């Protein structure tokens, strides 16, 4: 018992000293990476390891992804509406100058817009009616002359390829394939509903474009005021200047095309009337509209129809029509087009061609139609906001300039030499050679006396 009490008594001073010194600090964690702390002692793996912002960030990321998916779906659903709004905006830019002129004379903008729409609708209806009458009559004429044309075609094939075909054999072959023809007819009948729905959808889109165009044109000042009210005063002037450039370039381009279309239709009508082609006025309107308002391939489509119509009348007339179309195109490119577009807007042919390709790739046929006005507007922006500098004369810019300058100097020297030779030959060029020789000797003698 004495021995067991001795160690307790010996440890008591140490305990008393520790209590007097206060609580001892906790031992530091082991720096060994291989030692893993007890998860239970730290409150669990996710209790102390997850940052507080991580759950909120995950929820925010999910919300952002959902909003992006929703916006992408809504954009694809509304892309047709955006295209119609874009077309309506460009059409309103083309029609607004005429409405502004009428409004300056005291006509209300709504009434002026209605009158402009009526004029455009009458022009479009007249064009479609003339074209429809021409096509119906020509199709009926071709259907009536089809047996004669087939006989001529079969005779040409027999003479050229040494065959022995006949119209009866072709009819028998067609009767053998009557099952295929019947299936094609049945398939076409099944697609009637699809064609009808497409036609109704096209009419609805045209009505929608016309309605938005009317609102944009009639309420042009209000639309600009609404847009500018969303911007600070420093930006309002820039927006209005850009809007004015788009208005001037788009309207100027379309009006210049309208003038060129009228000139082309008048010239071709005179030529078709001289050749006594049927429906010469309708063909002339077709050439004028297609050659000016259909980009890139409009000229070829415009000339193809009159040539085909002339072929049904007289092949020689078709040749004359083709020659006149080509000649008039050159006259328009080098005489009429520069003079008319000098007062409105001019778009380089390469720029126009590239813009048509880009517009067709982005928006199809609609993009091809509005591509050139958009290019003209963009060209106006570049000319207004992009600063240009003078370019020093450098032969590396135009490598043919030096050759042209040398050629011009040689031509000038040749002209001076011809003038000098002509001036020297004038005294002896009279009707009496002896008098000329005497005059020459007198001049020499006078010179010797001096």
């Amino acid at each position: 018992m004495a021995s067991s009490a001795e160690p307790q008594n010996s440890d008591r001073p140490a305990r008393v000293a520790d209590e007097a010194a206060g609580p001892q600090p906790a031992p530091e964690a082991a720096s060994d990476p291989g030692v893993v702390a007890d998860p239970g002692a730290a409150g669990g793996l996710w209790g102390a390891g997850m940052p507080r912002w991580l759950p909120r960030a995950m929820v925010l990321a999910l919300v952002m992804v959902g909003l992006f998916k929703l916006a992408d779906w809504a954009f694809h659903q509304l892309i047709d509406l955006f295209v119609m709004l874009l077309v309506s905006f460009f059409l309103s830019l083309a029609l607004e100058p005429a409405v502004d002129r009428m409004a300056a004379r005291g006509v209300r903008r709504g009434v002026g817009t209605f009158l402009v729409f009526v004029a455009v609708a009458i022009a479009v209806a007249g064009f479609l009616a003339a074209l429809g009458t021409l096509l119906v009559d020509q199709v009926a004429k071709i259907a009536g002359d089809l047996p004669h044309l087939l006989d001529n075609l079969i005779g040409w094939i027999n003479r050229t390829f040494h065959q022995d075909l006949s119209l009866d054999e072709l009819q028998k072959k067609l009767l053998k394939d009557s099952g295929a023809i019947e299936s094609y007819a049945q398939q076409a009948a099944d697609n009637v509903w699809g064609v009808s729905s497409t036609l109704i959808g096209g009419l609805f889109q045209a009505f929608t474009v016309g309605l938005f165009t009317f609102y944009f044109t009639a309420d042009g000042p209000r639309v600009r005021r609404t847009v500018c009210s969303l911007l600070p005063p420093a930006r309002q002037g820039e927006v209005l200047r850009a809007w004015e450039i788009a208005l001037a370039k788009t309207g100027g381009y379309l009006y210049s095309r309208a003038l060129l279309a009228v000139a082309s239709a008048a010239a071709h009508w005179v030529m078709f009337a001289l050749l006594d082609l049927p429906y010469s006025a309708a063909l002339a309107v077709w050439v004028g509209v297609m050659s000016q308002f259909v980009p890139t391939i409009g000229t070829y489509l415009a000339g193809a129809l009159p040539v085909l119509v002339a072929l049904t009348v007289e092949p020689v007339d078709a040749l004359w029509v083709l020659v006149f179309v080509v000649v008039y195109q050159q006259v328009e490119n080098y005489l009429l087009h520069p003079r008319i577009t000098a007062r409105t807007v001019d778009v380089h042919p390469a720029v126009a061609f590239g813009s048509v390709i880009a517009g067709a790739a982005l928006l199809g046929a609609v993009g091809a139609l509005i591509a050139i006005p958009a290019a003209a507007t963009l060209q106006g922006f570049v000319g207004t906001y992009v600063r240009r500098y003078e370019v020093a004369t450098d032969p590396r810019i135009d490598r043919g300039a030096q050759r042209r300058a040398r050629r011009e100097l040689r031509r000038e020297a040749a002209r001076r030499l011809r003038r000098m030779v002509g001036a020297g030959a004038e005294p002896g060029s009279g009707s009496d050679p002896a008098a000329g020789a005497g005059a020459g000797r007198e001049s020499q003698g006078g010179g010797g006396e001096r």
Side-chain angles (χ1 to χ4, degrees), residues 78-91 201-202 204-210 212-213 216 363 366:
L78 299 176
I79 189 170
D80 292 337
L81 177 61
F82 294 152
V83 172
M84 288 188 288
L85 289 175
L86 181 63
V87 174
S88 302
F89 176 72
F90 274 101
L91 290 178
F204 177 75
Q205 290 181 355
F207 175 77
T208 305
V209 169
F212 279 118
T213 303
F216 285 154
L363 299 177
V366 176

Side-chain angles (χ1 to χ4, degrees), residues 121-311:
I122 291 175
V124 173
F127 171 72
L128 294 178
L131 181 61
T133 303
L134 172 65
L135 292 178
V136 170
D137 290 348
Q138 290 300 314
V139 169
K141 184 177 180 181
I142 292 174
D145 297 340
L146 185 59
H148 179 66
L149 294 176
L150 288 176
D151 289 336
N152 293 336
L153 179 61
I154 292 173
W156 179 79
I157 293 175
N158 292 333
R159 290 191 305 270
T160 304
F161 300 101
H162 305 288
Q163 299 293 326
D164 190 14
L165 299 177
S166 64
L167 186 60
D168 296 335
E169 293 180 359
L170 293 177
Q171 291 177 351
K172 291 179 180 179
K173 290 182 179 180
L174 289 175
L175 291 176
K176 288 182 180 180
D177 297 336
S178 59
I181 296 176
E182 184 179 356
S183 63
Y184 291 150
Q186 183 66 31
Q187 186 177 1
D190 294 337
N191 292 332
V192 168
W193 174 253
V195 174
S196 301
S197 61
T198 302
L199 181 60
I200 294 174
L203 292 176
F204 177 75
Q205 290 181 355
F207 175 77
T208 305
V209 169
L211 187 62
F212 279 118
T213 303
F214 184 87
Y215 288 146
F216 285 154
T217 307
D219 295 337
R222 185 183 302 175
V223 172
R224 287 189 286 272
R225 189 177 294 109
T226 302
V227 173
C228 291
S229 65
L230 302 175
L231 302 172
R235 296 293 182 182
Q236 293 177 6
E238 298 294 330
V239 171
L240 292 177
R241 187 179 297 110
W243 204 306
E244 188 68 21
I245 292 174
L247 188 66
K249 297 300 181 179
T250 305
Y253 175 80
L254 292 181
Y255 288 146
S256 64
R257 286 296 170 179
L259 291 176
L260 290 173
V262 171
S264 177
H268 286 86
W269 176 72
V270 172
M271 183 62 185
F272 297 158
L274 291 176
L275 294 176
D276 199 17
L277 289 181
Y279 304 101
S280 58
L283 288 174
V285 173
W286 163 266
V287 173
V289 173
M290 295 298 292
S291 62
Q292 303 302 326
F293 290 100
V294 176
T296 307
I297 61 173
T299 303
Y300 308 103
L301 294 178
L305 183 59
V307 170
L308 292 176
V309 173
L311 282 174

Side-chain angles (χ1 to χ4, degrees), residues 80-111:
D80 292 337
L81 177 61
F82 294 152
V83 172
M84 288 188 288
L85 289 175
L86 181 63
V87 174
S88 302
F89 176 72
F90 274 101
L91 290 178
S92 67
L93 292 178
L95 299 178
E96 192 167 352
V99 178
D100 289 339
R101 293 190 184 95
M102 298 177 68
R105 296 181 179 180
V107 182
R108 296 181 58 184
R109 293 191 64 88
V111 177

